[in-house]
Amino acid sequence: MNTDEHMLEMLQQTLVKIDELNTRIGHIEKDLTSITMHQLAMDHYAQAIQMATENNNIMG
């Protein structure tokens, strides 16, 4: 195998690794988006509970 063929093989292997990393990053981004959406929902529920509690204290 000459130098050019070796360099081409190395570049191809590097591209495969980059593609694998991009796929993993994509999965991480989806997970983070899901976690963020879950946290936003929990914050909304916590605010609703707090408001209900405060209203109950005012009326009770």
Side-chain angles (χ1 to χ4, degrees), residues 1 4 7 11-12 14-15 17 23 31 42-44 49 51-52 57:
M1 178 181 297
D4 288 342
M7 286 179 61
L11 287 172
Q12 288 172 334
T14 302
L15 287 174
K17 290 294 183 185
T23 299
D31 290 345
M42 292 300 103
D43 287 346
H44 174 74
I49 291 168
M51 288 176 64
N57 288 338

Side-chain angles (χ1 to χ4, degrees), residues 43-59:
D43 287 346
H44 174 74
Y45 294 139
Q47 288 175 350
I49 291 168
Q50 183 178 6
M51 288 176 64
T53 302
E54 289 171 357
N55 286 339
N56 190 35
N57 288 338
I58 292 170
M59 295 180 161

Side-chain angles (χ1 to χ4, degrees), residues 3-4 24 27 31 34 36 39 59:
T3 302
D4 288 342
R24 290 172 62 189
H27 293 151
D31 290 345
S34 178
T36 300
Q39 287 175 332
M59 295 180 161

Side-chain angles (χ1 to χ4, degrees), residues 28-46:
I28 291 168
E29 287 174 337
K30 287 179 185 176
D31 290 345
L32 289 174
T33 298
S34 178
I35 290 168
T36 300
M37 295 303 290
H38 179 73
Q39 287 175 332
L40 288 171
M42 292 300 103
D43 287 346
H44 174 74
Y45 294 139

Side-chain angles (χ1 to χ4, degrees), residues 15-27 29:
L15 287 174
V16 168
K17 290 294 183 185
I18 289 170
D19 189 50
E20 290 172 1
L21 290 172
N22 281 335
T23 299
R24 290 172 62 189
I25 288 170
H27 293 151
E29 287 174 337

